[in-house]
Amino acid sequence: MYQGIIVAGFGGQGVISMGIMLAYAGMVDNKHVTFFPAYGAEMRGGTANCSVIVSTDEVDSPVVGQPDSLLVMNEPSFAKFEPTIRPGGRLFINTSLVSSKSKRKDIQVIDVPANKVAEEIGTLKIANMVMAGALIKHTGAIARDAIIKSLGIVYSRAKPEMLKMNETAIKRGGEF
Amino acid sequence: MAEKTLMKGNEALAEGAVRAGCRFFAGYPITPQNEVPEYMSWRLPQEGGFFIQAESEVAAINMIFGAASTGIRVMTSSSSPGISLKQEGISYCAGADLPIFYANVVRGGPGLGNIAPAQSDYFQSTRGGGHGDYRVFVMAPNSATEMANFPKRCYDVAFKYRVPSMILADGLLGQMMEPVEFDFEPIDPGSIPAPDWALGVATGRNKRVVKSYDLRPGRLEDWNIERQKKFEMIEAEECDWDGEGLEDCELLVSSYGSCSRISKSAVKLARDSGLAVGLLRPITLYPFPKKIFRDMARKVKNILVVEMSLGQYVEDVQLSVEGAVPIHFHGRPGGGIPTAEEIFEIVKKIMRK
């Protein structure tokens, strides 16, 4: 199993935070992982993205050129990354904010109204975890228990009720 | 073995230096290495060490000179333009035979360039960098774990020979997070005896002098010749490299640092499609592992060098193989990062010929 993942969206949508969470959870799940944030000029324009690799074998190149899974949190990220998805790969769209539709026939599209679901649970801040829930459900790259176990470690300063909401978000994301 | 922790390369580098006994850090902020001073600013005081954010790179490297002259383990770090500023002080340290350790988390150049990963400071790092006849012991990690474990090796060599030592990384290695495993137990610097040249309270012993300046006729020439013997010993004793598929390859791909990870993926793609391709990666850039390159040049039909600069690393490969085999080159400058697929295409083209 090898999953090259790109997560992209606005700064503040928890894109980097989700990337670190996925990498940490992958490590807890005994996978080989790398995480690389776009830290350059592209980040300073208000958009953020990061690459995460989760693999059963050792990870050589930490660069994700053609993602197996792309998580798109906002409209500009769709235009930038949708064409790069590897044929046979998956596109997870936050349909609460992205209205573009993919015309590609060689990928699987998973619509996730992440903002809407997050607000139903109680806070917009966990839209990223709704997306993460959908990702792990469809790819099976990381066991859900490993992510839930990692929440309290990665977000060590979060209050228990916030961790609980993150957990709910991951579960709800798995319904899409 | 110790438990793995997920760390940024820059943090792993800083923690590795602290565990290797570093107790003094002076630096000045610059992307993409800012996590190093940030980490040191809270971590060193925990160990009774000192962190200084200097007023400039020039101030920082001169603080390093001063602290190193007392015989303790010191560190500074920066990224390309900042390391250029530090070269005068590094040359002074080399001239005074001080065992310093520093890291360059390289960004795109020349000039202020950009903040993307690059390998374009290869010449500067491996040829000394500042003025005068000297070299620096240079290690090129390619993972967060090596970022964590190489500072100790740098200190070991720096103190054994009294030379400057450095880690040549880049923005990719600095910013990337990976599980980190330390291969050594933390060193208590209090348990290391002070070197017999270190400055301090001079009661009951002869005067000691740490300097790089001598106007007496012939004296500086003698100093340089003595120092050169150390570099000859380093070249004989301290080379390190890593390889894969070297036994049966027809095409040898060679890269260092982060680029070697990408080349390794390309080599795997090639081997999976039945091509006899191997990978040779120098771990020390100075001293350069010439012998293995010379040995491989007798076995392979072609060498492909891939680097994130426009023809710096390739020159050491050329010097090592001395024309024995054709060398192909692929370089990406100014913050460009090659992909494994891109390298694989070039591999296929060479193998078809």
Side-chain angles (χ1 to χ4, degrees):
Chain A
M1 189 281 300
Y2 174 97
Q3 272 285 314
I5 303 159
I6 288 183
V7 188
F10 289 127
Q13 281 186 306
V15 165
I16 300 295
S17 153
M18 177 183 3
I20 294 173
M21 170 58 80
L22 291 173
Y24 195 93
M27 183 178 76
V28 168
D29 201 21
N30 291 316
K31 306 278 175 24
H32 295 272
V33 296
T34 60
F35 160 85
F36 181 57
Y39 64 92
E42 64 271 28
M43 186 177 151
R44 290 162 197 212
T47 63
N49 72 77
C50 63
S51 311
V52 177
I53 297 171
V54 182
S55 172
T56 42
D57 296 317
E58 201 179 322
V59 180
D60 298 319
S61 173
V63 178
V64 179
Q66 291 183 300
D68 301 294
S69 292
L70 171 67
L71 280 68
V72 164
M73 298 291 284
N74 69 351
E75 196 68 58
S77 306
F78 182 94
K80 187 173 178 189
F81 291 108
E82 186 261 356
T84 68
I85 302 170
R86 187 182 297 282
R90 293 182 180 88
L91 169 63
F92 298 82
I93 303 183
N94 176 10
T95 49
S96 304
L97 291 180
V98 182
S99 52
S100 292
K101 301 271 182 251
S102 177
K103 292 190 179 71
R104 289 181 59 173
K105 301 272 181 272
D106 60 346
I107 56 170
Q108 185 193 352
V109 179
I110 299 104
D111 290 335
V112 188
N115 285 35
K116 183 166 163 280
V117 173
E119 280 183 317
E120 281 168 18
I121 299 167
T123 171
L124 199 52
K125 287 181 188 169
I126 55 176
N128 58 351
M129 286 301 133
V130 179
M131 295 294 281
L135 172 82
I136 60 163
K137 177 67 197 279
H138 283 268
T139 61
I142 305 164
R144 193 167 78 180
D145 289 350
I147 291 212
I148 290 169
K149 197 174 146 193
S150 304
L151 282 169
I153 305 166
V154 178
Y155 304 143
S156 58
R157 280 177 292 188
K159 295 196 178 86
E161 56 269 29
M162 191 66 197
L163 292 177
K164 198 71 209 161
M165 282 197 279
N166 272 283
E167 197 178 321
T168 309
I170 289 162
K171 286 176 183 161
R172 288 286 304 277
E175 294 166 8
F176 295 95
Chain B
M1 210 58 222
E3 205 183 317
K4 285 183 177 176
T5 39
L6 192 69
M7 287 180 107
K8 234 177 201 200
N10 280 335
E11 294 170 348
L13 169 67
E15 177 61 27
V18 173
R19 289 192 189 205
C22 173
R23 291 296 179 269
F24 181 89
F25 181 99
Y28 188 81
I30 182 170
T31 306
Q33 63 86 54
N34 283 323
E35 292 82 5
V36 181
E38 185 192 9
Y39 191 94
M40 287 301 203
S41 71
W42 62 266
R43 183 70 177 90
L44 274 174
Q46 288 181 345
E47 300 292 337
F50 297 89
F51 167 85
I52 298 178
Q53 180 169 321
E55 65 269 38
S56 72
E57 286 87 351
V58 176
I61 190 64
N62 284 291
M63 290 172 189
I64 291 300
F65 184 110
S69 68
T70 67
I72 63 163
R73 297 189 167 196
V74 301
M75 177 185 182
T76 187
S77 69
S78 193
S79 179
S80 309
I83 292 290
S84 291
L85 284 166
K86 285 175 175 157
Q87 289 301 345
E88 182 202 44
I90 294 165
S91 167
Y92 277 47
C93 290
D97 300 306
L98 287 176
I100 62 164
F101 167 59
Y102 60 100
N104 184 356
V105 185
V106 180
R107 55 189 257 173
L112 204 51
N114 63 18
I115 59 176
Q119 297 188 313
S120 41
D121 299 353
Y122 183 88
F123 281 153
Q124 185 197 55
S125 309
T126 55
R127 268 61 185 168
H131 59 282
D133 252 331
Y134 74 97
R135 298 290 187 116
V136 173
F137 178 68
V138 187
M139 296 198 79
N142 77 355
S143 66
T145 289
E146 290 188 352
M147 290 283 264
N149 290 321
F150 284 4
K152 178 183 177 289
R153 293 178 60 181
C154 282
Y155 282 123
D156 287 347
V157 169
F159 275 81
K160 183 174 170 190
Y161 301 95
R162 289 182 67 184
V163 293
S165 65
M166 74 172 288
I167 280 180
L168 186 64
D170 62 52
L172 186 54
L173 286 166
Q175 294 298 318
M176 181 168 90
M177 283 180 110
E178 274 188 311
V180 168
E181 221 172 327
F182 287 92
D183 65 7
F184 64 98
E185 292 301 315
I187 293 161
D188 171 16
S191 69
I192 307 169
D196 60 8
W197 48 263
L199 305 187
V201 180
T203 318
R205 63 159 167 83
N206 291 332
K207 185 171 82 172
R208 293 172 183 171
V209 179
V210 169
K211 64 170 185 176
S212 65
Y213 180 65
D214 203 316
L215 290 180
R216 286 170 289 186
R219 193 62 178 261
L220 193 61
E221 183 172 7
D222 293 343
W223 269 12
N224 273 287
I225 289 166
E226 280 305 306
R227 190 172 299 114
Q228 195 57 32
K229 288 179 191 156
K230 296 195 300 189
F231 294 121
E232 281 161 19
M233 275 170 74
I234 290 171
E235 287 177 22
E237 303 286 332
E238 307 294 345
C239 282
D240 196 9
W241 54 271
D242 192 13
E244 204 149 309
L246 298 183
E247 318 73 33
D248 61 352
C249 64
E250 288 175 20
L251 170 66
L252 182 70
V253 179
S254 186
S255 300
Y256 71 93
S258 60
C259 200
S260 68
R261 296 269 294 259
I262 303 168
S263 290
K264 194 170 170 188
S265 283
V267 166
K268 272 194 188 156
L269 287 172
R271 292 184 82 88
D272 286 349
S273 60
L275 299 173
V277 181
L279 179 76
L280 180 53
R281 166 211 165 202
I283 291 172
T284 56
L285 300 182
Y286 180 83
F288 194 79
K290 285 180 186 163
K291 188 179 176 298
I292 180 69
F293 277 94
R294 221 174 287 141
D295 293 348
M296 288 308 297
R298 281 198 290 268
K299 291 192 219 164
V300 300
K301 290 183 182 147
N302 287 284
I303 294 178
L304 169 65
V305 172
V306 185
E307 63 182 90
M308 278 142 61
S309 47
L310 284 183
Q312 300 193 24
Y313 167 61
V314 68
E315 286 198 6
D316 270 339
V317 179
Q318 287 163 340
L319 284 168
S320 303
V321 308
E322 294 176 329
V325 64
I327 295 173
H328 307 260
F329 177 69
H330 182 58
R332 292 285 304 270
I337 305 172
T339 63
E341 290 79 12
E342 175 182 328
I343 299 168
F344 180 39
E345 286 307 314
I346 299 165
V347 165
K348 281 193 281 191
K349 251 182 229 160
I350 297 169
M351 300 288 278
R352 264 202 300 268
K353 269 177 200 161

